[in-house]
Amino acid sequence: MKKQKTLIYKCSSCSREEPKWLGRCPECGEWNTFAETIIKNETSGSKNRGSPGLPQTLPLNAVDPIEGSRIGSGIGELDRVLGGGIMKHSAVLVGGEPGIGKSTLMLQLAAAAVTKGRILYVSGEESAGQLRLRADRLGIAKDKMERIEILCSGNLEEIEAVLKNINPVLVLVDSAQTLFYEERSSAGSVNQMKLCSFELITWVKEHDAALFLTAHVTKEGLISGPKALEHMVDTVLYFEQNDRTSGADDCRFLRAAKNRFGSVDEIGIFTMGERGLSSVEDTGRMFLVRREGLELPPGVATAAVLEGSRTILVEIQALTIPAKGSMSRVFSDKIDSGRVSRVSAALEKHLGLQGKPGLRLSDHDLYVNAAGGIRITEVGVELALACALYSARTGLALPADLAIAGELSLTGEIRPVRRLSSRVKTASNLGFSAFLGPEAKDIKSAIKLAYGS
Ligand code: TYD
Ligand code: MG
């Protein structure tokens, strides 16, 4: 049966349909609510399929659970962020800056996915020859290549024809920004990207398949990139990188910004090497600086923080410099600068005696960093941050074998943190013989304990 497509404009507020785009909906009076939509008309008569009665509902216990229908991605860290594999019928968006490794991840996924079905790799960015070159470089085996079908096109209708023909279980589209629908003049626009992505998402929802879409984030236009697609997909993953200047391994972090089928706390950690991305399951000393038994310099403290289900040890580095003007500033990318300001204020206030500040930080510029370029959002980092700031400001180095975890309240008290025993265990496995935790009741006694007095 031949399907014919028509493009119409639909009001997102009242669903009124119009053949042309209108600035204002004549029905509900809302502005800028018309968006293009494709409708598929069946040309030969099947209109009378089913009765036009009430929409069908089902009691919940009669519904087949779709949990369990996951496909292993074959990449440990990707499975971790997805929540245990790729959910069938789901759409995953992978965003990140150009050059971060989105295409590499897609090709490695195509090779590693634990499925017997076909895999369609749609590339609008690279030629088939370039993809083959990359596959060889990644060391993808011949038998894995056999099941990967390459389509170098961004044309939605071509892609849809291929989908129908080969019926893949995994559809990888690199990238959403190269998709276009021919009947529209403005190829490459955000609307085109949304429209085509929506069609592909609909296809996987209706078939036994899953979709991965990549999208570049550009410095200027978040809106023209992945943000515009976030609401349509089930899972949004962002690829981030540590500072290229840091001497640590070339680490890449995959974070979930949205996940209908798992937690958004988990991060995937990869290193990019000669043969593509490798999963890092054991983070060990990755976020610590190797000093070969030497003492720590002032301004450094080791935090035991949680990243999803694992504990990592991270070196927190602080530097304080007298502020030039009357305003002191905070420079911190890896830990939220609001948190740095709050911790330094609590430190200044509560180390003093009888209302006098014991340690002035408010007239200093504060620089804070985390080794290995990992971004830390967990609250348990606060006590280590306070110790690093104290150490930087006083010039007193902390003991090298000390790991720290705790939340610092505005009142100067140290509050308990989740999964303390796991933090202590990981630290001890890595050779830290002392642990400063919430047993110190306030910041004053915590600082004393940290210096062993
Ligand atoms: P790529 O996957 O093309 O990035 P994106 O699709 O996000 O733009 O990754 C490109 C970078 O990765 C590029 O700088 C080269 C590097 N790379 C390696 O270091 N090793 C490899 O094996 C591959 C394939 C790429
Ligand atoms: Mg790419």
Side-chain angles (χ1 to χ4, degrees), residues 428-450:
S428 132
N429 288 346
L430 288 171
F432 289 87
S433 53
F435 198 96
L436 177 64
E439 79 282 351
K441 63 180 195 319
D442 58 30
I443 184 64
K444 214 168 187 170
S445 52
I447 294 284
K448 278 194 188 137
L449 281 170

Side-chain angles (χ1 to χ4, degrees), residues 156-176:
L156 179 67
E157 287 189 292
E158 280 177 34
I159 299 168
E160 285 187 315
V162 171
L163 286 175
K164 207 166 158 193
N165 187 27
I166 69 172
N167 211 17
V169 284
L170 200 54
V171 186
L172 311 172
V173 177
D174 188 27
S175 64

Side-chain angles (χ1 to χ4, degrees), residues 28 65 108 112 129 146 150 175 228 234 246 252 267 272 280 285 297 323 336 349 373 386 400 423 428 440:
C28 65
Q108 285 185 263
E146 239 167 67
I150 301 287
S175 64
D234 302 295
S246 87
R252 319 267 159 134
I267 63 166
M272 177 68 93
V280 180
R285 308 194 72 87
D336 175 48
K349 173 83 184 169
R423 304 186 201 229
S428 132

